[in-house]
Amino acid sequence: MKLTLKIWRQAGPGKAGKMETYPIDGISPDMSFLEMLDVLNNKLVTEGQEPVAFDHDCREGICGACSLYINGEAHGPDRGVTTCQLHMRKFKDGDTIYIEPWRAKAFPVIKDLVVDRGAFDRIMAAGGFVSVNTSGNTLDANSIPIPKDDADKAFDAATCIGCGACVASCKNSSAMLFVSAKVSQLALLPQGRVEAQRRVLNMVEQMDKEGFGNCTNTGACEVECPKGISLENIARMNREYIKAGLLSES
Amino acid sequence: MGFFTSSIGRKIVMSLTGLFLITFLIVHLGVNLLTLVSAELFNEASHFMATNPLIQAMQYVLALGFVLHISQGIILQIRNKQARPQNYAMNKPATNSSWSSRSMILTGLLILLFLILHLKDYFWVMKFGEMPAGQTDYDLVTGLFQNKLYTLIYVASFILLGFHLDHGFQSAFQSAGVNHRKYTPMIRKIGRVYSLLMALGFSLIALYFSFAN
């Protein structure tokens, strides 16, 4: 395959960047999108140019490290996959492919296609956990009966890998799908109920502080999410927030 | 951070005021449809709406509903714009969302312009203005549609209103936390029927009196 790549190049945080054009040849349709970028980077290094920086780790679609806004869509034109699981057969020979970083004030560009998703970590640190006593008398989690439906919904929410495609796809750069998945995976389970009120208040407060936009229910996040996280979670987070906001004594 | 200044709190305000305005539109269309029945009936209903103390009190609640919905909508739009300082060079939003859902601020602001025109020509005249001798509310309502451009502006606004309501109706429930695998598909269908009825109903009245004579 012969392709024309238009890639966002930016030397560092706060620096001015621009789209650069790179022609590339000899790409196999069976390569993953990241392997195609590896080929480009090999070529750039051989030519003595700066390789394109992009995030990746497991390349199995489960770690949430890879990102990329490809031809106007988060993780590219395929559905239910991350960029590492996107294959070049989804493109045609001779295509022009735009490759951009996630765009959000809360996700500043570090270099080229790499953005700082530390905002998600700070939201998790604000409440995305359960406090468990590990001092030698830990209880077996299965000793508390949990309805199968609740366990399934919690599991579905927990499949969120925190890649940030929801923020990138949302016209408002809203993080509500991510935050709601993390609120839901714990709020649905008895172990998570204990801190549910404080959790939703703190996580939403941190989300607002980070400068994410507000959900306008366009549903773009749900469509582009590689893990198919449902909008039901956002409604659940709103319910949790209303309950907590009305009942909280602080 | 206060409940109503948080991201979700603001969405709740949009949702509740939106649902309130949705209810108001049903009453408004109901009264207006009486113009198609008879002039006397409409004038009677109009007189009732203008004099009943409960309706008078509700006018202020309605005004507050409009002010909150519009101001909060504009604030949210500004904040949402600020959340993405740099746009994409290539973006394909149509692959993942509907035009109506992405254009709430556009349809909303155009409906606001319409609302200003509408209040100036009807509400203001009926409430504070001097009606010419012998002219009833019915004459005022039907008379303005003799102007074809005026009718066009109205019908275009009702179509925009339809799009705004189609997304707004189901969105209001979602924001308020009402999402259920069984009922949400039903809510979406009711919203679609409701917005079609509003757009067609109001347009029908405008077109009827534009072409009646």
Side-chain angles (χ1 to χ4, degrees), chain A residues 68-82:
Chain A
L68 305 186
Y69 211 73
I70 301 161
N71 268 356
E73 286 184 84
H75 295 298
D78 211 356
R79 291 283 175 259
V81 296
T82 51

PDB file of all heavy atoms in Angstrom, chain A residues 68-82:
ATOM      1  N   LEU A  68      -4.480   8.392  19.403  1.00  0.00           N
ATOM      2  CA  LEU A  68      -4.488   8.859  18.009  1.00  0.00           C
ATOM      3  C   LEU A  68      -5.899   9.118  17.441  1.00  0.00           C
ATOM      4  O   LEU A  68      -6.770   8.248  17.472  1.00  0.00           O
ATOM      5  CB  LEU A  68      -3.749   7.897  17.061  1.00  0.00           C
ATOM      6  CG  LEU A  68      -2.293   7.555  17.431  1.00  0.00           C
ATOM      7  CD1 LEU A  68      -1.676   6.733  16.326  1.00  0.00           C
ATOM      8  CD2 LEU A  68      -1.482   8.801  17.713  1.00  0.00           C
ATOM      9  N   TYR A  69      -6.052  10.310  16.923  1.00  0.00           N
ATOM     10  CA  TYR A  69      -7.269  10.727  16.233  1.00  0.00           C
ATOM     11  C   TYR A  69      -7.000  10.549  14.745  1.00  0.00           C
ATOM     12  O   TYR A  69      -6.266  11.320  14.141  1.00  0.00           O
ATOM     13  CB  TYR A  69      -7.578  12.188  16.572  1.00  0.00           C
ATOM     14  CG  TYR A  69      -9.044  12.515  16.567  1.00  0.00           C
ATOM     15  CD1 TYR A  69      -9.876  12.054  17.594  1.00  0.00           C
ATOM     16  CD2 TYR A  69      -9.606  13.294  15.563  1.00  0.00           C
ATOM     17  CE1 TYR A  69     -11.223  12.360  17.614  1.00  0.00           C
ATOM     18  CE2 TYR A  69     -10.959  13.610  15.583  1.00  0.00           C
ATOM     19  CZ  TYR A  69     -11.765  13.139  16.608  1.00  0.00           C
ATOM     20  OH  TYR A  69     -13.102  13.459  16.629  1.00  0.00           O
ATOM     21  N   ILE A  70      -7.551   9.476  14.189  1.00  0.00           N
ATOM     22  CA  ILE A  70      -7.194   9.061  12.823  1.00  0.00           C
ATOM     23  C   ILE A  70      -8.332   9.372  11.852  1.00  0.00           C
ATOM     24  O   ILE A  70      -9.451   8.884  12.038  1.00  0.00           O
ATOM     25  CB  ILE A  70      -6.861   7.547  12.810  1.00  0.00           C
ATOM     26  CG1 ILE A  70      -5.697   7.261  13.778  1.00  0.00           C
ATOM     27  CG2 ILE A  70      -6.533   7.090  11.397  1.00  0.00           C
ATOM     28  CD1 ILE A  70      -5.594   5.808  14.191  1.00  0.00           C
ATOM     29  N   ASN A  71      -8.035  10.168  10.858  1.00  0.00           N
ATOM     30  CA  ASN A  71      -9.038  10.568   9.857  1.00  0.00           C
ATOM     31  C   ASN A  71     -10.348  11.037  10.498  1.00  0.00           C
ATOM     32  O   ASN A  71     -11.438  10.643  10.081  1.00  0.00           O
ATOM     33  CB  ASN A  71      -9.302   9.432   8.870  1.00  0.00           C
ATOM     34  CG  ASN A  71      -8.393   9.531   7.658  1.00  0.00           C
ATOM     35  OD1 ASN A  71      -7.623  10.492   7.522  1.00  0.00           O
ATOM     36  ND2 ASN A  71      -8.464   8.553   6.764  1.00  0.00           N
ATOM     37  N   GLY A  72     -10.223  11.874  11.525  1.00  0.00           N
ATOM     38  CA  GLY A  72     -11.414  12.475  12.131  1.00  0.00           C
ATOM     39  C   GLY A  72     -12.144  11.626  13.133  1.00  0.00           C
ATOM     40  O   GLY A  72     -13.250  11.965  13.539  1.00  0.00           O
ATOM     41  N   GLU A  73     -11.554  10.484  13.552  1.00  0.00           N
ATOM     42  CA  GLU A  73     -12.199   9.649  14.562  1.00  0.00           C
ATOM     43  C   GLU A  73     -11.191   9.083  15.552  1.00  0.00           C
ATOM     44  O   GLU A  73     -10.083   8.692  15.153  1.00  0.00           O
ATOM     45  CB  GLU A  73     -12.934   8.477  13.915  1.00  0.00           C
ATOM     46  CG  GLU A  73     -14.219   8.863  13.220  1.00  0.00           C
ATOM     47  CD  GLU A  73     -14.950   7.641  12.696  1.00  0.00           C
ATOM     48  OE1 GLU A  73     -15.687   7.021  13.473  1.00  0.00           O
ATOM     49  OE2 GLU A  73     -14.734   7.296  11.532  1.00  0.00           O
ATOM     50  N   ALA A  74     -11.591   9.000  16.831  1.00  0.00           N
ATOM     51  CA  ALA A  74     -10.714   8.444  17.850  1.00  0.00           C
ATOM     52  C   ALA A  74     -10.469   6.968  17.569  1.00  0.00           C
ATOM     53  O   ALA A  74     -11.412   6.217  17.308  1.00  0.00           O
ATOM     54  CB  ALA A  74     -11.339   8.604  19.233  1.00  0.00           C
ATOM     55  N   HIS A  75      -9.248   6.525  17.597  1.00  0.00           N
ATOM     56  CA  HIS A  75      -8.840   5.149  17.276  1.00  0.00           C
ATOM     57  C   HIS A  75      -9.207   4.755  15.840  1.00  0.00           C
ATOM     58  O   HIS A  75      -9.308   3.560  15.532  1.00  0.00           O
ATOM     59  CB  HIS A  75      -9.451   4.128  18.247  1.00  0.00           C
ATOM     60  CG  HIS A  75      -8.976   4.265  19.675  1.00  0.00           C
ATOM     61  ND1 HIS A  75      -7.658   4.114  20.048  1.00  0.00           N
ATOM     62  CD2 HIS A  75      -9.652   4.549  20.830  1.00  0.00           C
ATOM     63  CE1 HIS A  75      -7.557   4.283  21.357  1.00  0.00           C
ATOM     64  NE2 HIS A  75      -8.743   4.563  21.860  1.00  0.00           N
ATOM     65  N   GLY A  76      -9.464   5.732  14.976  1.00  0.00           N
ATOM     66  CA  GLY A  76      -9.695   5.440  13.565  1.00  0.00           C
ATOM     67  C   GLY A  76     -11.095   4.986  13.212  1.00  0.00           C
ATOM     68  O   GLY A  76     -11.991   5.002  14.055  1.00  0.00           O
ATOM     69  N   PRO A  77     -11.279   4.533  11.961  1.00  0.00           N
ATOM     70  CA  PRO A  77     -12.633   4.263  11.448  1.00  0.00           C
ATOM     71  C   PRO A  77     -13.254   2.961  11.951  1.00  0.00           C
ATOM     72  O   PRO A  77     -14.462   2.788  11.833  1.00  0.00           O
ATOM     73  CB  PRO A  77     -12.424   4.184   9.928  1.00  0.00           C
ATOM     74  CG  PRO A  77     -10.986   3.802   9.744  1.00  0.00           C
ATOM     75  CD  PRO A  77     -10.245   4.388  10.912  1.00  0.00           C
ATOM     76  N   ASP A  78     -12.480   2.055  12.511  1.00  0.00           N
ATOM     77  CA  ASP A  78     -13.037   0.786  12.984  1.00  0.00           C
ATOM     78  C   ASP A  78     -13.781   1.006  14.300  1.00  0.00           C
ATOM     79  O   ASP A  78     -13.532   1.983  14.997  1.00  0.00           O
ATOM     80  CB  ASP A  78     -11.903  -0.238  13.171  1.00  0.00           C
ATOM     81  CG  ASP A  78     -12.377  -1.662  12.908  1.00  0.00           C
ATOM     82  OD1 ASP A  78     -13.578  -1.842  12.659  1.00  0.00           O
ATOM     83  OD2 ASP A  78     -11.539  -2.588  12.947  1.00  0.00           O
ATOM     84  N   ARG A  79     -14.705   0.100  14.646  1.00  0.00           N
ATOM     85  CA  ARG A  79     -15.472   0.222  15.888  1.00  0.00           C
ATOM     86  C   ARG A  79     -15.012  -0.820  16.911  1.00  0.00           C
ATOM     87  O   ARG A  79     -14.687  -1.949  16.540  1.00  0.00           O
ATOM     88  CB  ARG A  79     -16.965   0.018  15.614  1.00  0.00           C
ATOM     89  CG  ARG A  79     -17.587   1.151  14.815  1.00  0.00           C
ATOM     90  CD  ARG A  79     -17.841   2.366  15.705  1.00  0.00           C
ATOM     91  NE  ARG A  79     -18.332   3.491  14.914  1.00  0.00           N
ATOM     92  CZ  ARG A  79     -17.567   4.523  14.531  1.00  0.00           C
ATOM     93  NH1 ARG A  79     -16.307   4.590  14.869  1.00  0.00           N
ATOM     94  NH2 ARG A  79     -18.089   5.514  13.829  1.00  0.00           N
ATOM     95  N   GLY A  80     -15.029  -0.429  18.191  1.00  0.00           N
ATOM     96  CA  GLY A  80     -14.737  -1.381  19.258  1.00  0.00           C
ATOM     97  C   GLY A  80     -13.288  -1.827  19.325  1.00  0.00           C
ATOM     98  O   GLY A  80     -12.991  -2.874  19.898  1.00  0.00           O
ATOM     99  N   VAL A  81     -12.390  -1.059  18.735  1.00  0.00           N
ATOM    100  CA  VAL A  81     -10.962  -1.403  18.824  1.00  0.00           C
ATOM    101  C   VAL A  81     -10.137  -0.164  19.164  1.00  0.00           C
ATOM    102  O   VAL A  81     -10.541   0.954  18.891  1.00  0.00           O
ATOM    103  CB  VAL A  81     -10.406  -2.005  17.507  1.00  0.00           C
ATOM    104  CG1 VAL A  81     -11.071  -3.322  17.170  1.00  0.00           C
ATOM    105  CG2 VAL A  81     -10.528  -1.023  16.364  1.00  0.00           C
ATOM    106  N   THR A  82      -8.969  -0.426  19.746  1.00  0.00           N
ATOM    107  CA  THR A  82      -8.009   0.650  19.967  1.00  0.00           C
ATOM    108  C   THR A  82      -7.111   0.750  18.729  1.00  0.00           C
ATOM    109  O   THR A  82      -7.123  -0.139  17.875  1.00  0.00           O
ATOM    110  CB  THR A  82      -7.133   0.338  21.200  1.00  0.00           C
ATOM    111  OG1 THR A  82      -6.619  -0.977  21.034  1.00  0.00           O
ATOM    112  CG2 THR A  82      -7.934   0.413  22.485  1.00  0.00           C
TER     113      THR A  82
END
